[in-house]
Amino acid sequence: MTKAEIAKAFSNGTFDKTYDHIAEDAIWEVVEENMFVGKKAIVENCNLVAAYFKSVTTNFKTLHVISEENKVVITGTAEFIREGKRVSFVSACDVHEFNDQNKIERITSYCIQSQ
């Protein structure tokens, strides 16, 4: 997978495709919400988020993929629907930083949630 494909998969919630591409000492910061330090903590959180995604209908839209050197920025939206009703809507920007082994070393997520 290319860096852009890895970043897009992560941002669109298909986390399991990205696990081999996360550095052991990676950091995932969800600005103003949470920080996950180390691959193990990131994978554990991804598994929780993936379980939530299975409990709702998800509609992900990727708006932009910007790639330069070791950084990939993904912007997009996510709509979550349960029983035909919107549960929430998120506008997001994820900044993925890769190390020299093409593994994610840092993700900074900016998320604005509404209903």
Side-chain angles (χ1 to χ4, degrees):
M1 294 176 76
T2 67
K3 287 183 257 191
E5 290 169 335
I6 295 164
K8 188 174 177 183
F10 191 94
S11 292
N12 286 329
T14 51
F15 304 116
D16 56 334
K17 292 181 179 180
T18 69
Y19 292 158
D20 289 340
H21 305 283
I22 299 174
E24 291 298 323
D25 60 348
I27 296 171
W28 178 17
E29 178 183 5
V30 182
V31 175
E32 297 294 324
E33 286 184 35
N34 225 324
M35 184 168 305
F36 305 94
V37 178
K39 180 177 181 175
K40 182 180 179 201
I42 292 170
V43 169
E44 286 173 358
N45 188 63
C46 288
N47 289 336
L48 291 174
V49 173
Y52 171 74
F53 288 168
K54 288 180 182 175
S55 76
V56 294
T57 300
T58 58
N59 182 15
F60 289 101
K61 290 187 180 169
T62 300
L63 302 176
H64 300 97
V65 178
I66 303 164
S67 184
E68 184 175 309
E69 296 178 15
N70 283 344
K71 293 180 180 68
V72 178
V73 178
I74 307 286
T75 64
T77 61
E79 182 178 34
F80 303 100
I81 300 167
R82 182 178 287 126
E83 297 175 3
K85 295 181 184 174
R86 180 189 277 185
V87 176
S88 67
F89 185 86
V90 177
S91 297
C93 176
D94 292 331
V95 180
H96 302 260
E97 299 176 50
F98 290 79
N99 63 22
D100 293 336
Q101 289 79 44
N102 289 329
K103 293 197 175 207
I104 296 171
E105 63 182 2
R106 184 174 183 87
I107 303 165
T108 306
S109 297
Y110 301 89
C111 304
I112 300 170
Q113 186 169 338
S114 62
Q115 288 187 325

